[in-house]
Amino acid sequence: KMNVESFNLDHTKVKAPYVRLAGVTVGQHGDEITKYDMRICQPNQDHMAMPGLHSLEHLMAEMSRNHTDKVVDISPMGCQTGFYWAMINHDDYEGILTLIEKTLEDVLEASEVPACNEMQCGWAASHSLEGAKDIARGFLAKRDEWAQVFG
Ligand code: HCS
């Protein structure tokens, strides 16, 4: 039995880029954590280079929270093909698409990567603002495909 949701996803059947609801966890008081799979690169065909991925993580971490207080965490997948967005009490698929769109538009306007220094980051040398913007630009260019998960 496979308890990890992603291990049950057939990665040969998905068609990046997309945004997918990957799970809902309900706490004992009824609060809900919704987890979204923001898939940027086609699995096993492409992946993000670490410096751009890392800077995009920092940029989205900060800029998404300027739009909402519902972000729990935005973290990269180890396969470097996308990010997970964990949200609290935000069961609104169209809303997450709009939030991602606004956040990435902010990324394109950024003049520096937040917190890329040795006090605030665990690998401060591994960053690329231009790499992050290239990823954001490419994902935004396919906005009309985000809601289609399978090919
Ligand atoms: N992924 C974290 C930021 C780590 S630098 C977050 O809070 O979204």
Side-chain angles (χ1 to χ4, degrees), residues 54 57-58 60-62 64-65 71-76 115 120-121:
H54 187 191
E57 182 203 14
H58 279 221
M60 293 195 301
E62 176 154 305
S64 63
R65 288 172 171 97
V71 176
V72 175
D73 183 39
I74 303 168
S75 284
Q120 292 179 284
C121 177

Side-chain angles (χ1 to χ4, degrees), residues 11-80:
H11 288 69
T12 70
K13 299 284 195 292
V14 299
K15 183 86 183 72
Y18 67 77
V19 178
R20 180 180 71 90
L21 177 64
V24 182
T25 304
V26 183
Q28 61 183 345
H29 301 292
D31 290 311
E32 285 187 350
I33 302 284
T34 46
K35 179 179 165 185
Y36 297 93
D37 162 359
M38 174 199 192
R39 193 71 60 154
I40 294 170
C41 300
Q42 185 62 27
N44 299 295
Q45 290 184 21
D46 196 13
H47 65 272
M48 293 173 275
M50 190 53 80
L53 172 161
H54 187 191
S55 294
L56 185 57
E57 182 203 14
H58 279 221
L59 288 157
M60 293 195 301
E62 176 154 305
M63 289 161 165
S64 63
R65 288 172 171 97
N66 292 335
H67 294 290
T68 176
D69 61 1
K70 302 277 193 285
V71 176
V72 175
D73 183 39
I74 303 168
S75 284
M77 300 173 184
C79 59
Q80 299 170 229

Side-chain angles (χ1 to χ4, degrees), residues 55-110:
S55 294
L56 185 57
E57 182 203 14
H58 279 221
L59 288 157
M60 293 195 301
E62 176 154 305
M63 289 161 165
S64 63
R65 288 172 171 97
N66 292 335
H67 294 290
T68 176
D69 61 1
K70 302 277 193 285
V71 176
V72 175
D73 183 39
I74 303 168
S75 284
M77 300 173 184
C79 59
Q80 299 170 229
T81 66
F83 290 85
Y84 284 113
W85 289 57
M87 309 290 295
I88 188 158
N89 298 326
H90 188 284
D91 188 10
D92 172 6
Y93 181 73
E94 287 302 321
I96 196 81
L97 298 188
T98 303
L99 175 63
I100 291 172
E101 185 174 19
K102 285 185 190 163
T103 299
L104 293 180
E105 283 168 355
D106 293 344
V107 168
L108 294 184
E109 299 297 314

